[in-house]
Amino acid sequence: MDEHGLSRPARPLSPWPWLASLGLVVLTVVLLKIEGRVWWCECRAVRPWVSDVWSNHCSQHLLDPYSITHISHGLIFFGVMALLWPRSRMAWRLAAAIAITASWEVLENSPWVIDRYRETTMSQDYLGDSAVNATGDILSCVAGFYIARAVGLLWSVGIFVATEVGLLFVMRDNLTLNVVMLLYPVEAIKTWQSAGQPGAG
């Protein structure tokens, strides 16, 4: 309402944040191909979802259990963007979240980080993500962002905690352990995680 009690017209939706988001995804795929990532799993099978984190199919198809950790990224980024840019349009907040997760996808698939994963985490056979899997990770982050928008802060925290605990029991890994083992590896954690590998022990 203005000072005369009349409704102000809604601001027209700008296409720029959506174009920026799309451009970021395309740029990510281009950079991943430059890094030598394959388009899809070299097995040539089309599997939208792969459940076995110990299989060489993990990180090669569209979605896998680690996609759930990228949903957690979206939950976190929504809260961070709301805190940092409370007056910005939601579409620009989403574009910023995509920029962060896309940057990580490129960094994650650099030779240094791939070697780091192989040396310090349970992913000893990690070869990097396929371009399709990286795209699925970005889309999972977007899904988490919209989930957080729909359910609010308290439910977002609850979902984050529930998924972290669930992943810990299902595959002995989650976002928290992934970050810990990448930055400050703990041999006892790595031994416990490796014990969950089929055929171990």
Side-chain angles (χ1 to χ4, degrees):
M1 294 284 187
D2 60 17
E3 64 272 18
H4 302 294
L6 300 176
S7 297
R8 294 177 180 175
R11 290 184 295 175
L13 292 178
S14 170
W16 295 114
W18 306 107
L19 291 174
S21 296
L22 178 60
L24 286 166
V25 175
V26 172
L27 178 61
T28 301
V29 172
V30 170
L31 293 175
L32 289 172
K33 291 301 295 178
I34 292 174
E35 287 182 322
R37 302 298 96 214
V38 297
W39 283 110
W40 197 287
C41 182
E42 292 183 342
C43 68
R44 306 298 180 187
V46 178
R47 300 179 185 177
W49 165 264
V50 171
S51 60
D52 187 359
V53 297
W54 296 104
S55 166
N56 57 9
H57 295 289
C58 188
S59 297
Q60 301 302 302
H61 296 267
L62 182 63
L63 300 171
D64 55 54
Y66 284 103
S67 302
I68 299 172
T69 67
H70 289 275
I71 292 176
S72 295
H73 289 174
L75 297 173
I76 295 169
F77 292 159
F78 180 87
V80 171
M81 297 306 162
L83 180 65
L84 295 179
W85 297 325
R87 296 182 179 277
S88 64
R89 285 184 179 271
M90 193 64 63
W92 280 118
R93 295 187 206 174
L94 176 61
I98 290 175
I100 296 171
T101 197
S103 298
W104 168 244
E105 289 300 321
V106 175
L107 178 61
E108 181 186 28
N109 286 282
S110 65
W112 182 83
V113 176
I114 289 175
D115 290 342
R116 179 74 174 172
Y117 268 121
R118 291 169 65 90
E119 292 170 3
T120 65
T121 73
M122 62 183 266
S123 305
Q124 298 179 22
D125 297 324
Y126 180 61
L127 299 175
D129 298 347
S130 70
V132 166
N133 180 260
T135 303
D137 289 344
I138 295 173
L139 294 177
S140 296
C141 177
V142 172
F145 189 94
Y146 275 107
I147 289 171
R149 181 186 181 186
V151 303
L153 176 61
L154 289 180
W155 275 103
S156 295
V157 172
I159 292 170
F160 177 84
V161 172
T163 55
E164 288 289 275
V165 173
L167 290 174
L168 195 64
F169 280 100
V170 171
M171 65 179 194
R172 301 194 180 206
D173 202 6
N174 57 25
L175 179 59
T176 303
L177 284 185
N178 203 272
V179 172
V180 168
M181 294 301 289
L182 188 63
L183 298 179
Y184 190 80
V186 178
E187 190 62 32
I189 295 177
K190 183 177 180 180
T191 300
W192 174 75
Q193 289 179 318
S194 299
Q197 182 175 7

